[in-house]
Amino acid sequence: MKTIGLGEAASLIPDGASVMIGGFMGVGTPERVIDELVRRGTGNLTVIANDTAMPGVGIGKLIRAGLVRRAIVSHIGLNPETQQQMIAGKTDVELVPQGTLIERIRAGGFGLGGVLTATGVGTVVEKGKATITLDGKTYLVERPLRADFALVSAFAADYLGNLQYALTARNFNPVIAMAADVVIVDAEHIVPTGVIAPDHVMTPAPLVDYLVAH
Amino acid sequence: MKTIGLGEAASLIPDGASVMIGGFMGVGTPERVIDELVRRGTGNLTVIANDTAMPGVGIGKLIRAGLVRRAIVSHIGLNPETQQQMIAGKTDVELVPQGTLIERIRAGGFGLGGVLTATGVGTVVEKGKATITLDGKTYLVERPLRADFALVSAFAADYLGNLQYALTARNFNPVIAMAADVVIVDAEHIVPTGVIAPDHVMTPAPLVDYLVAH
Amino acid sequence: MDASTIIARRIAQELRDGMLVNLGIGIPTLVANYVPAGLHVFFQSENGLIGTGPVPEEGMRQARLTDAGGRVVTALPGAATFDSATSFGLIRGGHVDMTVLGGLEVDVTGRLANWTIPGKMVPGMGGAMDLVSGARRVVVAMQHTAKGKSKIVSQCRLPLTSVRPVDLVVTELAVIAFPNGRATLLEVAPGVQVADVLAATEAPLIVRDDVHPMPLGSEVPA
Amino acid sequence: MDASTIIARRIAQELRDGMLVNLGIGIPTLVANYVPAGLHVFFQSENGLIGTGPVPEEGMRQARLTDAGGRVVTALPGAATFDSATSFGLIRGGHVDMTVLGGLEVDVTGRLANWTIPGKMVPGMGGAMDLVSGARRVVVAMQHTAKGKSKIVSQCRLPLTSVRPVDLVVTELAVIAFPNGRATLLEVAPGVQVADVLAATEAPLIVRDDVHPMPLGSEVPA
């Protein structure tokens, strides 16, 4: 794990990168990193996240700045700007059931070739997907998702990179931290090694590549 | 969640039941419940667990008492009694790679029809299993495991049934707590509701059916 | 009593002690206000919380503690938080005893459409497909009609949420279940006649001999 | 220096700063005693621990803190614990940078057999199949021969652990890698000649021009 400045962290991410971003309606999203991406105008991004939050909040800032070429998310209901960009053909939106989305990301991080789920069978979600019938029940074969970068928001990080999340800001964060080539963490608190007890570590240090300095 | 006595807890489990048991080489195994099963002579069990511990320790007690008809485990290396019973045809032993075993149990508890893994491809583990080739890579289709009962060992349980595990005694416990029809917990400490902070709960209360009284 | 209150109070009568229940956004959220006295029910927010409490008092907001609608809430003593994979493991794995969701259409066999109106509204399915496919019991809370048109239809025109039929539909007029795959009228709201329900419903309904008034419990302060 | 020490010290030279490393039971465990000065390496025990430390002092045992061999250990400051699904997610998902395991046989293409001798020993694969299939780098630590017979063989007679070839085999005589799928001699132990290695090895070995003595680092106190 390396500690770097905010600008340096954002500069690691090139135009066209795929980026997993933590957060649920903006709660648990690394706002500082998002702001810096907007400032730099890093564009043509593929964003994998639960949602695009609200206009001007969290991932909604990337949407508003027109930086998102493709979004793989479970809903965009609270962000009409995403809906407008989708209809205008500026942003491709792939809608994935939330439980399937997080399980596909987990599969990407946990080295699985995919998972079988009944969610989406017989709906539009099935389109273009392999199905498998086992013991008389039909499942979709859902493939792993990975990204170039994971942008993780943590409550606390220790000097080694061990992470702790708080309350419902946990959501996608520990899962995306497993599923990207480069993991960048913005933590609200940076604490000395040992301050987070082993049983309370939610993302072990070796998963973290960069911690944004305070 | 209901609090019951040790005898009553063990009496819920009939001969022939399938039982998932927490623990890794006996660490994190609910010894009191095992002892009571041995005392009652509950037999013909199917045990799903990481291993059969050592002779006379944890699940090794069930083995020694001749109560295990079938064991689905990742290894039996430290328990020669299991090996003897296997060779004598008294106990069927299905050996499953540890990562596949825990993932199959998770699939059972998380409502997945299975997972795809490269582990075991081209080895004896592949025998009798469906394979699937996706993007040129071959995976085994590993099916979910569930059981009638999960016997969980926790460090602390609150009055509602929220659980916390300690150190490496966590292992299979939180996963089996998702994957059985009836979840029975033996906790080292029982504490008032609220003593375990929300972020430190490792198994949420609604998963627990019975807590063994102190 | 307004439509939302009737629906929420009726659904609250489905709660049982110890249940893990997921409430969707809108009318379903109101169900938590009418938990019958003496019951302990766990409410899940699928963003990662069991033990969701009411909105906090002024000055006590914690921005990292929200419900699935993004609203700042509180956590009851004994609450538990977890990541999204665990949250949907609870849902898909059948650990959620009951889910209450809104609906756009329910067909005569109980199949629900509630996540998109192509060309008009594309919010996405969020957790709805997993909830309807995975929860033990699926209850739809919705107004009986929209712009005068029945939402209980012969066949869904909108994209389905799941091919799994829901268990119960509760509207401000009626309670409908789907035994043997056929929409069946079980109860009517206070003051509502069976004929009123039939007139307001596009789908053919089987009418049971013992159709009775909805139980609404006694109102419990929120 | 005995065979185990040579093997462990040589493998320790493969460690890099910040690596997450899984050590198997037996000789692999000894590698932790020879971490080169100045490196911070994370050691994983697959039963659910990163930051595995040495055995505790007398009177300081914690029975709930063990390594993958069931031995009571300590945890270093900054250690993390987790369940078995996460532990094997780290392994299968390629987050473990290097795994060091024992071996019964390695074939000429680098395929390992190390979990059973049918009819004689059926311990089970434990985590070995996942480790060999999933870790970024797989290093086998084993004696060159067993009862005078080469353990580096033309073809494995024993059931395979994985079809994925290992990256490196380190014995008390030699270091062997498998570029282009062929066993290749890279290094010899101090005082050992290439001819000694060839004589002790059943599998045909490609001998590189630049075969050199094993680096063994400076001994670090355990």
Side-chain angles (χ1 to χ4, degrees):
Chain A
M1 195 273 289
K2 216 183 138 199
T3 305
I4 53 175
L6 180 59
E8 200 187 339
S11 76
L12 295 169
I13 303 168
D15 285 342
S18 60
V19 186
M20 289 179 175
I21 307 177
F24 190 106
M25 310 270 189
V27 177
T29 298
E31 296 282 346
R32 287 202 302 158
V33 181
I34 302 270
D35 289 341
E36 183 66 13
L37 288 173
V38 170
R39 204 186 63 76
R40 303 174 78 90
T42 309
N44 203 20
L45 298 172
T46 292
V47 169
I48 301 170
N50 181 61
D51 55 72
T52 58
M54 288 76 78
V57 173
I59 297 167
K61 294 171 181 167
L62 296 177
I63 295 287
R64 178 169 285 176
L67 301 174
V68 181
R69 178 72 201 91
R70 184 167 149 74
I72 304 175
V73 293
S74 82
H75 70 102
I76 55 174
L78 293 186
N79 195 334
E81 295 179 1
T82 310
Q83 299 178 43
Q84 287 151 17
Q85 292 190 19
M86 177 181 166
I87 291 162
K90 286 187 192 160
T91 305
D92 292 333
V93 177
E94 182 185 339
L95 292 170
V96 182
Q98 195 171 148
T100 298
L101 179 58
I102 193 71
E103 206 60 33
R104 288 177 66 190
I105 295 169
R106 181 183 182 274
F110 279 58
L112 298 171
V115 296
L116 311 180
T117 179
T119 300
V121 168
T123 74
V124 296
V125 168
E126 185 175 323
K127 209 164 69 180
K129 283 181 184 152
T131 61
I132 187 167
T133 301
L134 297 166
D135 297 337
K137 190 160 181 190
T138 300
Y139 302 95
L140 303 187
V141 178
E142 292 283 2
R143 302 302 311 282
L145 281 172
R146 288 188 58 88
D148 301 327
F149 296 88
L151 307 184
V152 169
S153 169
F155 184 68
D158 73 16
Y159 295 171
L160 289 176
N162 287 301
L163 306 183
Q164 202 173 18
Y165 309 97
L167 299 165
T168 59
R170 191 178 332 184
N171 55 68
F172 275 46
N173 282 298
V175 188
I176 65 172
M178 297 279 288
D181 295 341
V182 177
V183 175
I184 299 172
V185 175
D186 188 18
E188 196 157 334
H189 302 281
I190 296 178
V191 298
T193 299
V195 169
I196 307 176
D199 285 343
H200 298 165
V201 171
M202 296 168 182
T203 294
L207 294 168
V208 175
D209 296 296
Y210 297 99
L211 177 64
V212 179
H214 278 191
Chain B
M1 196 275 287
K2 217 183 136 198
T3 306
I4 54 174
L6 180 59
E8 199 187 339
S11 76
L12 294 169
I13 303 168
D15 285 342
S18 60
V19 187
M20 289 177 175
I21 306 177
F24 190 107
M25 309 268 190
V27 177
T29 298
E31 295 282 347
R32 288 201 303 158
V33 182
I34 302 272
D35 289 341
E36 184 65 14
L37 288 173
V38 170
R39 203 187 64 75
R40 303 174 77 91
T42 308
N44 204 20
L45 297 172
T46 293
V47 169
I48 301 170
N50 181 60
D51 56 71
T52 57
M54 288 76 78
V57 173
I59 296 168
K61 294 171 181 168
L62 296 176
I63 296 286
R64 178 169 286 176
L67 300 174
V68 181
R69 178 72 200 94
R70 183 166 151 73
I72 304 175
V73 293
S74 82
H75 70 100
I76 55 175
L78 293 187
N79 195 334
E81 294 179 2
T82 311
Q83 299 179 44
Q84 287 152 17
Q85 291 189 20
M86 177 182 166
I87 290 163
K90 285 184 190 161
T91 305
D92 292 333
V93 177
E94 182 185 338
L95 291 170
V96 182
Q98 195 170 147
T100 299
L101 180 57
I102 193 70
E103 207 60 32
R104 289 178 66 191
I105 295 169
R106 180 183 182 273
F110 279 57
L112 298 171
V115 297
L116 311 181
T117 179
T119 300
V121 168
T123 75
V124 296
V125 167
E126 185 174 323
K127 207 163 70 178
K129 284 181 184 152
T131 61
I132 188 167
T133 300
L134 297 166
D135 296 339
K137 191 161 179 190
T138 301
Y139 302 96
L140 302 188
V141 178
E142 292 283 2
R143 301 304 311 282
L145 280 173
R146 288 189 57 88
D148 300 327
F149 296 89
L151 307 184
V152 169
S153 169
F155 184 69
D158 73 16
Y159 295 171
L160 289 176
N162 287 302
L163 305 183
Q164 202 174 18
Y165 308 97
L167 299 164
T168 59
R170 190 177 332 183
N171 54 69
F172 275 46
N173 282 297
V175 187
I176 66 172
M178 296 280 288
D181 295 341
V182 178
V183 175
I184 299 173
V185 175
D186 189 19
E188 197 157 334
H189 302 282
I190 297 178
V191 299
T193 298
V195 169
I196 306 175
D199 285 343
H200 299 165
V201 170
M202 297 169 183
T203 294
L207 294 168
V208 175
D209 296 295
Y210 297 99
L211 177 63
V212 178
H214 278 189
Chain C
M1 222 181 315
D2 69 0
S4 301
T5 306
I6 292 171
I7 294 168
R9 285 182 58 170
R10 173 58 190 87
I11 291 174
Q13 306 312 307
E14 300 293 309
L15 300 171
R16 299 290 174 272
D17 197 48
M19 266 190 175
L20 175 59
V21 177
N22 185 295
L23 301 179
I25 303 169
I27 300 177
T29 303
L30 303 176
V31 172
N33 298 338
Y34 303 104
V35 179
L39 295 192
H40 182 276
V41 176
F42 296 99
F43 288 108
Q44 178 203 33
S45 295
E46 69 258 28
N47 51 325
L49 174 64
I50 290 175
T52 311
V55 296
E57 285 180 44
E58 191 62 32
M60 306 292 262
R61 282 169 50 94
Q62 163 54 257
R64 289 178 218 79
L65 185 54
T66 49
D67 68 13
R71 194 177 53 146
V72 170
V73 292
T74 49
L76 302 174
T81 54
F82 33 81
D83 65 33
S84 299
T86 302
S87 195
F88 279 84
L90 292 168
I91 290 166
R92 209 190 304 96
H95 305 284
V96 169
D97 298 295
M98 187 165 109
T99 183
V100 185
L101 309 94
L104 295 169
E105 290 178 342
V106 176
D107 78 11
V108 73
T109 68
R111 300 201 299 186
L112 170 69
N114 81 339
W115 69 276
T116 186
I117 304 175
K120 264 180 140 174
M121 179 188 88
V122 193
M125 65 290 286
M129 286 192 175
D130 298 285
L131 281 159
V132 177
S133 300
R136 281 196 189 268
R137 196 141 191 273
V138 180
V139 177
V140 175
M142 67 179 190
Q143 306 241 14
H144 207 94
T145 57
K147 297 180 187 162
K149 291 175 71 175
S150 172
K151 295 172 74 173
I152 298 160
V153 296
S154 298
Q155 199 173 348
C156 289
R157 282 166 284 258
L158 299 173
L160 291 179
T161 302
S162 176
V163 292
R164 175 191 159 176
V166 305
D167 295 285
L168 209 65
V169 174
V170 178
T171 76
E172 77 282 17
L173 298 183
V175 175
I176 293 164
F178 303 87
N180 308 312
R182 287 296 309 282
T184 303
L185 179 63
L186 302 185
E187 301 172 12
V188 291
V192 172
Q193 305 302 315
V194 169
D196 301 335
V197 176
L198 295 178
T201 308
E202 177 200 311
L205 292 180
I206 293 172
V207 181
R208 286 243 289 242
D209 288 345
D210 60 345
V211 170
H212 54 277
M214 284 185 192
L216 294 176
S218 54
E219 186 156 358
V220 177
Chain D
M1 222 181 316
D2 68 2
S4 302
T5 306
I6 293 171
I7 295 168
R9 285 182 60 170
R10 173 60 189 85
I11 292 174
Q13 306 312 308
E14 300 292 310
L15 299 172
R16 299 289 174 272
D17 197 48
M19 267 191 174
L20 175 59
V21 177
N22 185 295
L23 301 179
I25 303 170
I27 300 177
T29 304
L30 302 176
V31 173
N33 299 337
Y34 303 104
V35 179
L39 294 193
H40 184 277
V41 176
F42 296 98
F43 288 107
Q44 178 202 36
S45 294
E46 69 257 29
N47 52 325
L49 173 64
I50 289 175
T52 311
V55 296
E57 284 179 45
E58 191 63 32
M60 306 293 263
R61 281 169 52 92
Q62 164 53 258
R64 289 178 218 77
L65 185 54
T66 50
D67 68 12
R71 193 177 53 145
V72 170
V73 292
T74 49
L76 301 173
T81 54
F82 34 80
D83 66 32
S84 298
T86 303
S87 194
F88 279 84
L90 291 168
I91 290 167
R92 210 192 304 96
H95 306 284
V96 169
D97 298 295
M98 185 166 111
T99 183
V100 185
L101 307 93
L104 294 169
E105 291 179 340
V106 176
D107 79 11
V108 72
T109 68
R111 300 200 301 186
L112 170 70
N114 80 338
W115 68 277
T116 185
I117 305 175
K120 262 181 140 174
M121 181 188 86
V122 193
M125 64 291 284
M129 286 191 176
D130 297 286
L131 282 159
V132 177
S133 301
R136 281 196 190 268
R137 195 141 191 271
V138 179
V139 177
V140 175
M142 66 180 190
Q143 306 241 13
H144 206 93
T145 58
K147 297 180 186 161
K149 291 174 72 175
S150 172
K151 295 171 75 175
I152 299 160
V153 296
S154 297
Q155 197 172 350
C156 288
R157 283 165 283 257
L158 299 173
L160 291 179
T161 302
S162 175
V163 294
R164 174 190 160 177
V166 305
D167 295 286
L168 209 63
V169 174
V170 178
T171 75
E172 76 283 15
L173 299 183
V175 174
I176 294 164
F178 304 86
N180 309 312
R182 287 296 310 280
T184 303
L185 180 62
L186 302 185
E187 301 173 12
V188 291
V192 172
Q193 305 302 316
V194 169
D196 301 336
V197 176
L198 295 178
T201 308
E202 178 201 310
L205 293 179
I206 293 172
V207 180
R208 287 240 290 241
D209 287 345
D210 60 344
V211 169
H212 54 277
M214 283 183 192
L216 294 176
S218 54
E219 186 157 359
V220 177

